[in-house]
C-alpha cells in the first residue's frame, strides 16, 4: 500500500515530532523529579516544584496527543503495543497519577511527614516513568514476539531484557541531565550552585550510559545502524547529537544557561531522531519472525483518514506552536521564592 | 470472573471516575468567564476575588481530570485492542482534532490562568480564561463525536477480513454529524453547565450558611443561580431531542429505557417502577401512551418493543431502565431546586432560608448522579454492541491480556482512585475552608511570581 505523497512517512514523522516534543518537555520536568530528592531544604524542593508548576501538565498533554496520534495514524501499533505491554503501561499510568497527585498535594499541609511521603512519591514516580518509557523504546529496538494476527505473544518478563533495561537507565540519565539544566536555568543562589553540580554529575552518568548503549546497539542490533552505513548523510544527526552534548558543560561553565538548556533540547531531539531513523519504516519489530513486523505500511490507517488528520494538523499546529511559545515566554525568568504556589 | 467482565468493570469504573471532573471543568469554565468578564467591566474587586478563588478550584479539578483522562486514552489500547484496530481509522480524525484544537489550548492557557495574574495584562488574562473555557468545550465536542459514532455509526465502509476487519472513514463531516452526535453533544454540554453551576451554588450556599465571605458568595450566586436555572430547564428539551434520535436509530435502547416489550402497543411514559426482562413485565407509575405522544404526537401509535429483537441483542434492560429514570427524576429535582433558589435569591431572602441553603449545599451531588446515570443508560443501552450493530463488546477485547493481569490492574485502580478521590475531597475542603482570601495574591505584587 503506497499512498500518494507518502502519507504514512509523513505520519511517522508527525508522531515522532509529538513524542520528541514530549521527551523534551516532560523530559525536563521528569528530570527535576529525579534530582528533587537531592535538594537540601524544603524551600529548595518547593522552588524546584514551582519551576515546573505552570508547565508540567501542559507537557503531559504532548504524551496524550502523541498517544492519540499513534492510535489515529497507526491503530495496529497502538493496539499491539498497549495490550502487549499491559503491565508496564499500567505501571506507567500509576506513575503518572502518583506524580500529578504528589505535585498538587505535597505543599498543602505543613506536616514534615506528609511532605516527605509526597516527595518520595514524586521522585520515585518520575524515575519510574522515565525508566518505563526507556524500556519501551528499548524493546522497539530489540523487537518483540508477534504473531501473524499482529498480537503480542510474549510475557511481562520478555520485556525486561538487559538491553531494554539499559536503554531505560540511559533515559533516566538523559532526563536527569536535562532536568538539572532546567533547574540551573530557573533558580538562583545556593540552589543553582547545587544544580550546577547535578548537571556535571548527570552528564558523566549519561555519557557512560550512552556509550554502553551505543556499543550494545552496534554489537547486537546492527539493523539500527543500517541506514547510517548506506546513506552516510544521516551521520549528521549523531554528529549534531554529540556536539550538542559537548556544548552543555561548556555553556554551563560559562554560565550561559539558556544555551545550555537549548543544547540539551537538541541532544534529546537528535537522540529521538537517531531512534526514528534506525527504526523506519518499521514501527514494531517482530523478533523472531520479522515477517510479522508492524510497519508504516501494514499498520496505518486508510489514506482517507490520514489525509483528513493531516489537514487538521496543518490547520491547528501553527496555533499550538504560537501560543505554546507565547506561554513559555510569559513564564520566562527565575522562580521567585517569595511567592511560591506549591 | 473472566477477562471480559473484569475489563468491562475496569472501563466502567475508570470512565465513571473520570466523568466526575470534565463536566465540572466545562461548567466552571463558563462561570469563570462570566465572573472575570463582570470584573473587567465593573472593576468591582469582589468579582476579582471570586474569579481568583474559583480559578484555584478549577486547577485542582483540572489536574485530577488530566490524570484520570490519560488512563482512558491508554485503556482503549491496553484492554480493547481488537476494538481499537476496528475503530482507529474513524476515531483518528476525532482524536487528532481533540488533541490539536482542545488539549493544548486548555492546558496551555490554564498556566496563564493560574500563574499569570501579575505576568499578563487583565485583558490577556481574560482572553486566557476564554481559551480555557473554549478548550474544554472543544474537547467535549470531539469526544462526543467519537462516542456517538459508536452509537450510530455513519460515513464508514468495512474493509479487511478476520482480525484485519475494520471500519474506514469515508467522509469527515459525516463522522462529525453522525445521526446522534449533535443531540448527545448538546445534552452532555448542558449537563456539564448544570454541574459547574450547582458546584458554585453549593460552595456559595455553604459560605452563606457559615456567614463567611458573603460578598464573594453573593457575587458568585448572581452568576451561578441563573446559569443553573437555564441549564436545568434546557435539559428536558435537549433530552427529548436525544430520545427522539434514539427512537429512530436505536429502538432497542428506547424500549429498554421505558421497559417496553410489546411492539403492537403504544409506549407509556414511566415515572417510577421496575421492569423484569425475563417475564417482559413492567410494574410502574406511568402515563399510558405518553411516550408515543411525545415522540409522534399520537398516543395510540405503537412503538417497537424488545420483542422485535433476539434476546442475545438485548441490552441489560433492568439497568438501562433504572438508570434512565434516575437521571430523569434527578433532573426534575434540579429544576425545582434551582427555580426555588432563584426565587428566594431575587427576593434577597436566600441568606435567611437555612433549609434551602442546606439543600443547595448537598445538591452538588445531584448533577453528578444525573450525569453518571445518564451515561450508564446511554452506554448500557448500546450493549451488547461496542460499536452499534457492527462489533460486539465481547469481540473487542484484547487477546494478549490474561484475566489475571486485568484483575491486578483493576484492584490497583480501585485502591488508587479511592485514595485519589479522598485526597481530592480533602484538598477541595481545605481550599473551601480557606476561602476566597487575598492572601496569596497580595504576596505576588511583584512581576516575577510563581
Amino acid at each position: 500500500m503506497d499512498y500518494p505523497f507518502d502519507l504514512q512517512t509523513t505520519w511517522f514523522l508527525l508522531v515522532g515530532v509529538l513524542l520528541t516534543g514530549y521527551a523534551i518537555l516532560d523530559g525536563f520536568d521528569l528530570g527535576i523529579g529525579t534530582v528533587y530528592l537531592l535538594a537540601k531544604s524544603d524551600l529548595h524542593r518547593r522552588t524546584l516544584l514551582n519551576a515546573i508548576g505552570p508547565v508540567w501538565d501542559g507537557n503531559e498533554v504532548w504524551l496524550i496527543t502523541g498517544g492519540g496520534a499513534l492510535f489515529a495514524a497507526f491503530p495496529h501499533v497502538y493496539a499491539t503495543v498497549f495490550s502487549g505491554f499491559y503491565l508496564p503501561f499500567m505501571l506507567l499510568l500509576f506513575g503518572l497519577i502518583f506524580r500529578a497527585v504528589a505535585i498538587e498535594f505535597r505543599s498543602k499541609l505543613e506536616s514534615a511527614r506528609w511532605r516527605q511521603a509526597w516527595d518520595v512519591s514524586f521522585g520515585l514516580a518520575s524515575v519510574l516513568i522515565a525508566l518505563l518509557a526507556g524500556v519501551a523504546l528499548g524493546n522497539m529496538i530489540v523487537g518483540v514476539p508477534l504473531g501473524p494476527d499482529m498480537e503480542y505473544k510474549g510475557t511481562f518478563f520478555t520485556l525486561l531484557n538487559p538491553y531494554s533495561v539499559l536503554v531505560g537507565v540511559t533515559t533516566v540519565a538523559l532526563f536527569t541531565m536535562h532536568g538539572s539544566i532546567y533547574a540551573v536555568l530557573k533558580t538562583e543562589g545556593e540552589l543553582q550552585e547545587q544544580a550546577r553540580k547535578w548537571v556535571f554529575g548527570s552528564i558523566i552518568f549519561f555519557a557512560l550510559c550512552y556509550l554502553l548503549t551505543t556499543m550494545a546497539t552496534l554489537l547486537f542490533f546492527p539493523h539500527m545502524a543500517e541506514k547510517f552505513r548506506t546513506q552516510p548523510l544521516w551521520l549528521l544527526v549523531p554528529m549534531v547529537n554529540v556536539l550538542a552534548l559537548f556544548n552543555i558543560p561548556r555553556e554551563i561553565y560559562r554560565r550561559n544557561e539558556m544555551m545550555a538548556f537549548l543544547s540539551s533540547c537538541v541532544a534529546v531531539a537528535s537522540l529521538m531522531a537517531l531512534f526514528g531513523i534506525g527504526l523506519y519504516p518499521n514501527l514494531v519489530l517482530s523478533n523472531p519472525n520479522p515477517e510479522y513486523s508492524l510497519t508504516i505500511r501494514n499498520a496505518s490507517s486508510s489514506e482517507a483518514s490520514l489525509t483528513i488528520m493531516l489537514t487538521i494538523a496543518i490547520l491547528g499546529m501553527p496555533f499550538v506552536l504560537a501560543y505554546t511559545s507565547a506561554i513559555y515566554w510569559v513564564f520566562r525568568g527565575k522562580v521567585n521564592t517569595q511567592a511560591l504556589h506549591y | 470472573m473472566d477477562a471480559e467482565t473484569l475489563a468491562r468493570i475496569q472501563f466502567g469504573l475508570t470512565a465513571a471516575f473520570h466523568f466526575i471532573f470534565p463536566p465540572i471543568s466545562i461548567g466552571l469554565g463558563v462561570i469563570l468567564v462570566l465572573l472575570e468578564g463582570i470584573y473587567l467591566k465593573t472593576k468591582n474587586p469582589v468579582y476579582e476575588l471570586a474569579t481568583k478563588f474559583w480559578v484555584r478550584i478549577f486547577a485542582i479539578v483540572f489536574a485530577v481530570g488530566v490524570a484520570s483522562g490519560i488512563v482512558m486514552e491508554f485503556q482503549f489500547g491496553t484492554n480493547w485492542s481488537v476494538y481499537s484496530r476496528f475503530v482507529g481509522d474513524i476515531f483518528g480524525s476525532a482524536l487528532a482534532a481533540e488533541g490539536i484544537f482542545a488539549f493544548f489550548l486548555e492546558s496551555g492557557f490554564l498556566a496563564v490562568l493560574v500563574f499569570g495574574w501579575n505576568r499578563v495584562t487583565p485583558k490577556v488574562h481574560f482572553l486566557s480564561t476564554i481559551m480555557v473555557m473554549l478548550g474544554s468545550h472543544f474537547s467535549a465536542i470531539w469526544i462526543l463525536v467519537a462516542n456517538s459514532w459508536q452509537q450510530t455509526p455513519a460515513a464508514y465502509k468495512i474493509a479487511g477480513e478476520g482480525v484485519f476487519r475494520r471500519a474506514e472513514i469515508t467522509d469527515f463531516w459525516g463522522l462529525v454529524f453522525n445521526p446522534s452526535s449533535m443531540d448527545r453533544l448538546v445534552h452532555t454540554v448542558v449537563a456539564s453547565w448544570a454541574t459547574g453551576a450547582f458546584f458554585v451554588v453549593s460552595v456559595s450556599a455553604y459560605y452563606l450558611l457559615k456567614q463567611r465571605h458573603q460578598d464573594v458568595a453573593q457575587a458568585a450566586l448572581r452568576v451561578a443561580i441563573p446559569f443553573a436555572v437555564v441549564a436545568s430547564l434546557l435539559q428536558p428539551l435537549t433530552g427529548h431531542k436525544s430520545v427522539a434520535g434514539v427512537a429512530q436509530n436505536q429502538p432497542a435502547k428506547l424500549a429498554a429505557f421505558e421497559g417496553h416489550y410489546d411492539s403492537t402497543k403504544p409506549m407509556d411514559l414511566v415515572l417510577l417502577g421496575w421492569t423484569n426482562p425475563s417475564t417482559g413485565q413492567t410494574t410502574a407509575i406511568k402515563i399510558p401512551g405518553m411516550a408515543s405522544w411525545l415522540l409522534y404526537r399520537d398516543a395510540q401509535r405503537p412503538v417497537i418493543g424488545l420483542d422485535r429483537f433476539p434476546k442475545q441483542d438485548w441490552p441489560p434492560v433492568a439497568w438501562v431502565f433504572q438508570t434512565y429514570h434516575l437521571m430523569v427524576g434527578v433532573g426534575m429535582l434540579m429544576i425545582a431546586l434551582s427555580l426555588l433558589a432563584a426565587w428566594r435569591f431575587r427576593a434577597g431572602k436566600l441568606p435567611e432560608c437555612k433549609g434551602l441553603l442546606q439543600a443547595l449545599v448537598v445538591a452538588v451531588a445531584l448533577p453528578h448522579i444525573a450525569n453518571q446515570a445518564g451515561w450508564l443508560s446511554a452506554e448500557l443501552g448500546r450493549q451488547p454492541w461496542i460499536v452499534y450493530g457492527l462489533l460486539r463488546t465481547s469481540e473487542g477485547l484484547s487477546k494478549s491480556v490474561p484475566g489475571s493481569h486485568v484483575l491486578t490492574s483493576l484492584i490497583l485502580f480501585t485502591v488508587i482512585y479511592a485514595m485519589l478521590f479522598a485526597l481530592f475531597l480533602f484538598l477541595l475542603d481545605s481550599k473551601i475552608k480557606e476561602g476566597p482570601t487575598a492572601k496569596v495574591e497580595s504576596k505576588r505584587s511583584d512581576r516575577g511570581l510563581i
Side-chain angles (χ1 to χ4, degrees), chain B residues 234-388:
Chain B
L234 278 174
Q235 272 320 53
L237 302 175
T238 63
H240 172 73
K241 192 90 181 25
S242 232
V243 170
V246 172
Q248 206 167 11
N249 302 308
Q250 297 171 295
K253 192 203 268 192
L254 178 74
F257 279 170
E258 296 293 357
H260 182 64
Y261 298 91
D262 189 345
S263 300
T264 61
K265 288 192 180 150
M267 189 180 263
D268 306 332
L269 188 79
V270 171
L271 299 176
L272 197 67
W274 65 89
T275 187
N276 185 344
S278 42
T279 59
Q281 293 293 321
T282 300
T283 316
I285 308 167
K286 53 191 173 187
I287 312 174
M290 188 63 184
S292 284
W293 188 83
L294 280 172
L295 288 167
Y296 305 107
R297 293 289 177 273
D298 174 5
Q300 306 303 321
R301 182 174 158 150
V303 175
I304 296 175
L306 283 161
D307 55 345
R308 283 283 181 85
F309 302 89
K311 274 233 164 161
Q312 83 258 21
D313 289 353
W314 284 20
V317 179
W319 279 91
V320 178
F321 177 89
Q322 292 301 350
T323 49
Y324 176 74
H325 290 105
L326 180 61
M327 172 193 73
V328 174
V330 171
M332 295 299 155
L333 196 57
M334 285 162 63
I335 294 178
L337 207 53
S338 61
L339 283 175
L340 194 61
W343 175 51
R344 297 319 295 157
F345 187 68
R346 269 189 72 92
K349 296 273 164 50
L350 190 59
E352 289 123 65
C353 308
K354 300 286 179 223
L356 180 57
L357 286 175
Q358 277 160 353
L360 289 174
V361 171
V362 184
V364 68
L366 292 180
H368 288 285
I369 297 171
N371 289 348
Q372 299 283 347
W375 164 71
L376 278 171
S377 67
E379 304 305 319
L380 290 174
R382 188 194 68 229
Q383 303 299 334
W385 303 99
I386 196 165
V387 178
Y388 201 68

Side-chain angles (χ1 to χ4, degrees), chain A residues 156-238:
Chain A
F156 175 57
F157 295 101
T158 319
L159 303 172
L160 291 180
N161 52 75
Y163 177 80
S164 299
V165 174
L166 175 64
V167 176
V169 174
T170 309
T171 311
V172 174
L174 174 71
F175 287 172
T176 310
M177 173 192 85
H178 194 47
S180 309
I181 299 168
Y182 186 74
V184 173
L185 179 70
K186 296 299 275 188
T187 61
E188 300 166 287
E190 193 195 347
L191 178 57
Q192 194 193 32
E193 285 313 307
Q194 210 197 348
R196 290 165 63 86
K197 289 191 193 122
W198 297 335
V199 175
F200 292 115
S202 55
I203 282 194
I204 294 170
F205 176 37
F206 173 69
L208 286 175
C209 292
Y210 188 29
L211 214 63
L212 264 176
T213 309
T214 310
M215 290 196 300
T217 311
L218 293 175
L219 271 176
F220 301 109
F221 308 103
H223 62 264
M224 290 299 284
E226 187 66 34
K227 277 195 207 66
F228 301 100
R229 267 196 296 274
T230 52
Q231 293 155 294
L233 203 60
W234 287 122
L235 284 170
L236 278 174
V237 178

Side-chain angles (χ1 to χ4, degrees), chain A:
Chain A
M1 275 190 278
D2 258 323
Y3 292 166
F5 319 115
D6 207 346
L7 270 169
Q8 291 152 322
T9 302
T10 310
W11 272 102
F12 180 87
L13 273 171
L14 282 176
V15 173
V17 165
L18 286 169
L19 293 179
T20 305
Y22 175 70
I24 291 175
L25 294 173
D26 215 28
F28 72 70
D29 69 56
L30 289 170
I32 290 277
T34 29
V35 292
Y36 181 75
L37 290 175
L38 304 174
K40 284 184 181 133
S41 69
D42 191 57
L43 180 66
H44 283 183
R45 281 192 276 271
R46 292 184 65 184
T47 310
L48 289 175
L49 279 185
N50 281 276
I52 60 172
V55 292
W56 71 268
D57 61 357
N59 294 345
E60 268 180 19
V61 168
W62 287 78
L63 177 66
I64 303 182
T65 310
L70 189 67
F71 185 6
F74 303 105
H76 289 301
V77 176
Y78 169 78
T80 300
V81 172
F82 280 52
S83 61
F85 295 14
Y86 190 82
L87 290 179
F89 273 43
M90 287 297 149
L91 279 177
L92 180 69
L93 284 175
F94 297 138
L96 287 168
I97 294 174
F98 263 100
R99 191 166 173 278
V101 173
I103 294 175
E104 290 299 322
F105 288 87
R106 72 88 61 193
S107 301
K108 303 300 176 200
L109 285 186
E110 292 293 334
S111 149
R113 231 198 237 155
W114 167 273
R115 292 191 169 184
Q116 199 179 20
W118 288 121
D119 284 344
V120 172
S121 305
F122 175 62
L124 287 183
S126 302
V127 174
L128 182 71
I129 293 165
L131 185 72
L132 288 169
V135 170
L137 283 189
N139 277 298
M140 297 284 146
I141 296 170
V142 177
V144 292
L146 297 183
D149 56 356
M150 296 189 168
E151 295 289 350
Y152 177 70
K153 303 293 178 202
T155 66
F156 175 57
F157 295 101
T158 319
L159 303 172
L160 291 180
N161 52 75
Y163 177 80
S164 299
V165 174
L166 175 64
V167 176
V169 174
T170 309
T171 311
V172 174
L174 174 71
F175 287 172
T176 310
M177 173 192 85
H178 194 47
S180 309
I181 299 168
Y182 186 74
V184 173
L185 179 70
K186 296 299 275 188
T187 61
E188 300 166 287
E190 193 195 347
L191 178 57
Q192 194 193 32
E193 285 313 307
Q194 210 197 348
R196 290 165 63 86
K197 289 191 193 122
W198 297 335
V199 175
F200 292 115
S202 55
I203 282 194
I204 294 170
F205 176 37
F206 173 69
L208 286 175
C209 292
Y210 188 29
L211 214 63
L212 264 176
T213 309
T214 310
M215 290 196 300
T217 311
L218 293 175
L219 271 176
F220 301 109
F221 308 103
H223 62 264
M224 290 299 284
E226 187 66 34
K227 277 195 207 66
F228 301 100
R229 267 196 296 274
T230 52
Q231 293 155 294
L233 203 60
W234 287 122
L235 284 170
L236 278 174
V237 178
M239 279 164 64
V240 167
N241 182 246
V242 171
L243 284 178
L245 283 171
F246 274 108
N247 196 39
I248 293 169
R250 177 167 160 267
E251 302 288 1
I252 289 282
Y253 183 72
R254 294 162 61 182
R255 298 195 175 262
N256 210 342
E257 297 143 12
M258 188 42 103
M259 284 309 292
F261 184 66
L262 289 178
S263 303
S264 184
C265 293
V266 171
V268 176
S270 48
L271 278 171
M272 288 295 281
L274 279 179
F275 171 75
I277 293 164
L279 200 62
Y280 181 87
N282 294 300
L283 286 160
V284 189
L285 284 175
S286 175
N287 174 21
N289 306 320
E291 66 276 18
Y292 297 149
S293 293
L294 302 185
T295 70
I296 63 165
R297 306 293 170 210
N298 69 9
S300 82
S301 282
S302 67
E303 185 190 335
S305 190
L306 294 179
T307 311
I308 294 166
M309 296 188 305
L310 191 60
T311 317
I312 294 171
I314 290 170
L315 287 176
M317 267 333 250
F319 292 103
V320 173
L321 293 176
Y323 62 68
T324 304
S325 324
I327 288 160
Y328 269 86
W329 177 251
V330 165
F331 293 108
R332 70 195 180 279
K334 304 285 182 188
V335 174
N336 183 340
T337 47
Q338 300 304 309
L340 295 175
H341 177 85
Y342 291 109

Side-chain angles (χ1 to χ4, degrees), chain A residues 3 11 18 50-51 53-69 71-73 75-80 82-87 89-90 92-94 96-98 100-101 104-105 108-109 114 118 148-154 156 186 294 299-306 308-309 312-317 319-320 323-324 327 329-342, chain B residues 10 56 59-60 62-64 66-85 87-97 99-116 119-120 142 163-164 166 168-172 397-401 405-410 412-413 416-417 419-420 423-424 426-427 430-431 440 443-444 446-450:
Chain A
Y3 292 166
W11 272 102
L18 286 169
N50 281 276
V55 292
W56 71 268
D57 61 357
N59 294 345
E60 268 180 19
V61 168
W62 287 78
L63 177 66
I64 303 182
T65 310
F71 185 6
H76 289 301
V77 176
Y78 169 78
T80 300
F82 280 52
S83 61
F85 295 14
Y86 190 82
L87 290 179
F89 273 43
M90 287 297 149
L92 180 69
L93 284 175
F94 297 138
L96 287 168
I97 294 174
F98 263 100
V101 173
E104 290 299 322
F105 288 87
K108 303 300 176 200
L109 285 186
W114 167 273
W118 288 121
D149 56 356
M150 296 189 168
E151 295 289 350
Y152 177 70
K153 303 293 178 202
F156 175 57
K186 296 299 275 188
L294 302 185
S300 82
S301 282
S302 67
E303 185 190 335
S305 190
L306 294 179
I308 294 166
M309 296 188 305
I312 294 171
I314 290 170
L315 287 176
M317 267 333 250
F319 292 103
V320 173
Y323 62 68
T324 304
I327 288 160
W329 177 251
V330 165
F331 293 108
R332 70 195 180 279
K334 304 285 182 188
V335 174
N336 183 340
T337 47
Q338 300 304 309
L340 295 175
H341 177 85
Y342 291 109
Chain B
Q10 180 173 298
R56 288 205 288 275
I60 307 171
F62 186 82
V64 189
V66 171
S68 57
I70 297 181
V71 174
M72 297 321 298
E73 192 208 33
F74 272 52
Q75 216 174 169
F76 294 122
T78 51
N79 293 77
W80 304 95
S81 70
V82 176
Y83 158 83
S84 298
R85 294 180 205 280
V87 300
D89 199 82
I90 306 276
F91 277 24
S93 309
L95 280 178
I100 285 178
F101 295 127
F103 287 159
F104 282 118
L105 199 66
E106 201 175 0
S107 66
F109 282 101
L110 183 66
V112 181
L113 213 61
V114 179
F115 298 89
R119 290 215 166 205
V120 296
W142 296 109
V163 293
F164 302 110
R166 70 176 180 186
E168 291 188 352
I169 193 167
T170 55
D171 169 24
F172 177 65
L397 200 67
S398 291
K399 286 184 184 150
S400 58
V401 181
H405 287 193
V406 187
L407 184 63
T408 311
S409 60
L410 175 58
L412 284 169
F413 271 121
I416 289 174
Y417 276 12
M419 194 195 78
L420 189 53
L423 279 166
F424 170 73
F426 165 76
L427 191 53
S430 70
K431 288 273 173 195
V440 184
K443 268 197 257 168
R444 295 187 187 176
D446 62 323
R447 222 186 105 271
L449 78 157
I450 326 175

